[in-house]
Amino acid sequence: MNQFYSIITKEITLAARSGYELFFPILYLFIIIIFFNISISYAGKNIILELIPLMIWIACLLICVLNIESIFKDDYDDGSLEIFVIHNENLEIDILAKIFSHWLLSNFPVVLIAPFLSLLLGLDYDTSIVLFLTLLIGTPTMSLLGSIAAALTISLKKNKILTSIVVLPLYIPILIFGTSAVNNSFFNMDYFSELILMGIIFFIFLLVTPIACSKALRISLD
Amino acid sequence: MQEKIITTNNLTLYRNDTAIFSNISIDILKSQITNIYGHNGSGKTSLLKILVGITEATNGEVKNVSGDVELFNRTIYIGHRYGLKNNLSINENLMYLQSFYGVNQQQLIDKAIDIYGMTKYKNTLVKYLSHGQQKRASLMKTLITNSKLWIIDEPYSALDDEAIEMFNETAKNHLNNNGSLIITNHKPITNIFPNVINFKLN
């Protein structure tokens, strides 16, 4: 447990010292939403209102995809990944700590801002809450999934597209459940079943990812 | 007869269908330095990585016969890339690494920094250090826990004479405390340590 906290503290210290990189995800979110609103401004108001939470969801998904390769890259480049992996009895817990701190620093700010953004754009309170909840469950799942792909492709020089190709088809179910829940809430329909399904997917990947990731890391460091 | 701690059995390594080395059997003994040397490309770093456990040999195995199950868990490995985070200071790096071994002793870290003469740079971020200073900082990793086995890839590269002397001192103390050391180098080591095994890779 001590190691868990020291990994998270280290990642937060490193992020604080890396300058303004922390704000890029929020900036991307604003850019996508602003440009989306500008481009569909001629459509009817009810259509725009219906599409906004879905667009915020897609923006969060794309930000997740953009950030996912950086989870192990720095450690691989300076040699800390080898020390992290070799003969580490608690590698699974340590990997979870790494993924959690990466999610906390890359995706969580976006998740926090998204409901306020949707309120700002005119959506009702309930839909914004559901948007926040679906993102809160969906983005960690996407981080977990993406980290397996990132672990498999670290040692490749040109891995940018490959990670995205591997990961995007797997993100589709999460996207469908998330946007379906938000859309149902917008039309005042029931959304609990989608939330529960997303929760189940999250827990499955919470159990599978550390094991898969540790194997993938050992293979790609070979 | 010195006690064996690691034995290997006909290690062979292939990369892209080319044999880097084949049928290497090397025994690592307690309180000894094993110096793996050879020309560039002979597979020294690869053999070292197989001994550490990062790379898997195509054939053959590495066995821990020391009777200490914790031997590999407490091994200090310093590879070609130093394993230090650029945006952390030397002190923070060593504290973080110490936590991996379940140790939390600031005085060991302070002593290690002092032995390598970098007390002035204790709180300097690693990215602001010169290459040789970063190498000194990476060698400090050997002194922050009581590990029985050090595996260091080219310990003398980038070091000036003063730092080489510092490293030799720490290595001699380590050997006197029943520790073992596996290093790679370009040529055999003579006249520095009392008990060295020079192993040539062709």
Side-chain angles (χ1 to χ4, degrees):
Chain A
M1 263 305 133
N2 227 356
Q3 225 161 302
F4 195 87
Y5 290 128
S6 74
I7 292 178
I8 297 180
T9 323
K10 174 205 83 163
E11 291 291 325
I12 294 180
T13 316
L14 280 173
R17 290 196 189 150
S18 67
Y20 45 81
E21 282 173 23
L22 211 56
F23 295 106
F24 281 167
I26 305 180
L27 197 64
Y28 293 148
L29 178 67
F30 277 116
I31 289 176
I32 296 176
I33 297 304
I34 290 173
F35 279 81
F36 177 71
N37 274 303
I38 292 175
S39 65
I40 66 163
S41 57
Y42 58 85
K45 183 168 169 129
N46 45 354
I47 299 180
I48 299 180
L49 222 47
E50 186 180 335
L51 288 179
I52 280 176
L54 309 178
M55 197 56 217
I56 296 182
W57 231 103
I58 296 178
C60 290
L61 183 145
L62 290 174
I63 290 167
C64 226
V65 171
L66 272 175
N67 278 325
I68 203 58
E69 313 137 1
S70 65
I71 184 173
F72 294 123
K73 187 167 189 319
D74 279 341
D75 284 345
Y76 178 72
D77 284 340
D78 64 17
S80 342
L81 196 59
E82 289 174 341
I83 301 179
F84 191 68
V85 167
I86 52 175
H87 302 297
N88 188 355
E89 291 168 328
N90 297 323
L91 185 58
E92 283 82 17
I93 309 259
D94 289 347
I95 286 177
L96 271 182
K98 267 216 84 103
I99 299 174
F100 175 68
S101 49
H102 180 259
W103 173 80
L104 200 67
L105 295 164
S106 304
N107 299 331
F108 189 55
V110 171
V111 169
L112 272 182
I113 291 200
F116 294 109
L117 198 58
S118 77
L119 279 174
L120 200 70
L121 292 166
L123 282 163
D124 58 291
Y125 180 68
D126 284 326
T127 311
S128 302
I129 292 276
V130 176
L131 179 66
F132 176 68
L133 284 175
T134 50
L135 284 175
L136 197 63
I137 305 177
T139 45
T141 319
M142 293 196 279
S143 280
L144 287 168
L145 255 176
S147 63
I148 304 180
L152 285 169
T153 58
I154 311 170
S155 47
L156 302 176
K157 293 274 161 63
K158 289 187 181 171
N159 64 352
K160 282 195 182 319
I161 298 293
L162 189 61
T163 324
S164 316
I165 291 177
V166 165
V167 126
L168 277 172
L170 301 171
Y171 279 0
I172 292 179
I174 305 172
L175 177 69
I176 292 178
F177 287 129
T179 51
S180 157
V182 170
N183 210 23
N184 285 348
S185 160
F186 183 78
F187 288 113
N188 293 320
M189 299 193 308
D190 191 23
Y191 52 82
F192 280 117
S193 43
E194 279 89 357
L195 278 182
I196 289 176
L197 271 166
M198 286 182 78
I200 292 177
I201 297 180
F202 169 65
F203 275 112
I204 292 177
F205 277 107
L206 193 63
L207 295 172
V208 164
T209 301
I211 306 171
C213 223
S214 65
K215 297 264 182 276
L217 281 175
R218 291 203 165 104
I219 291 174
S220 56
L221 279 177
D222 203 10
Chain B
M1 183 70 171
Q2 290 283 3
E3 201 181 309
K4 291 188 200 169
I5 56 171
I6 300 176
T7 59
T8 67
N9 200 7
N10 288 335
L11 287 177
T12 309
L13 182 66
Y14 275 80
R15 281 259 186 261
N16 298 331
D17 298 331
T18 334
I20 305 214
F21 51 76
S22 42
N23 294 325
I24 302 279
S25 295
I26 179 174
D27 291 335
I28 312 294
L29 305 175
K30 206 175 195 180
S31 295
Q32 292 268 28
I33 300 186
T34 309
N35 171 26
I36 302 171
Y37 72 98
H39 58 79
N40 294 339
S42 51
K44 310 190 288 288
T45 303
S46 305
L47 179 58
L48 211 67
K49 283 189 174 176
I50 291 176
L51 288 171
V52 177
I54 301 174
T55 308
E56 219 174 285
T58 317
N59 272 323
E61 54 171 3
V62 175
K63 264 203 289 225
N64 172 7
V65 294
S66 65
D68 176 15
V69 283
E70 293 279 303
L71 177 74
F72 275 122
N73 289 341
R74 305 197 72 90
T75 299
I76 307 272
Y77 167 64
I78 301 174
H80 190 54
R81 290 171 300 201
Y82 304 148
L84 298 168
K85 305 303 295 179
N86 274 332
N87 271 328
L88 293 180
S89 69
I90 300 182
N91 191 30
E92 285 164 348
N93 265 304
L94 293 175
M95 272 170 50
Y96 171 66
L97 285 165
Q98 243 194 3
S99 74
F100 262 85
Y101 295 100
V103 176
N104 189 8
Q105 291 176 3
Q106 184 62 39
Q107 67 263 33
L108 284 176
I109 295 180
D110 292 335
K111 192 161 163 228
I113 299 181
D114 187 43
I115 287 178
Y116 278 99
M118 305 257 296
T119 314
K120 207 167 68 171
Y121 300 99
K122 176 176 167 183
N123 291 317
T124 317
L125 299 187
V126 167
K127 64 183 176 184
Y128 296 135
L129 297 175
S130 77
H131 195 184
Q133 289 173 324
Q134 288 179 358
K135 185 61 189 266
R136 287 196 193 193
S138 77
L139 289 175
M140 289 176 206
K141 287 195 261 171
T142 55
L143 301 172
I144 56 176
T145 71
N146 64 339
S147 147
K148 285 300 171 203
L149 177 60
W150 298 354
I151 303 183
I152 309 180
D153 197 354
E154 301 216 17
Y156 296 119
S157 76
L159 290 183
D160 55 20
D161 290 335
E162 189 192 7
I164 291 179
E165 227 4 84
M166 291 166 181
F167 172 70
N168 288 338
E169 254 328 289
T170 60
K172 284 179 193 155
N173 289 335
H174 176 68
L175 294 173
N176 287 336
N177 288 332
N178 288 329
S180 314
L181 183 51
I182 309 177
I183 64 175
T184 64
N185 208 3
H186 298 297
K187 46 189 186 177
I189 292 184
T190 49
N191 303 331
I192 308 180
F193 301 103
N195 31 6
V196 182
I197 296 177
N198 287 303
F199 184 87
K200 184 159 198 241
L201 264 187
N202 293 315

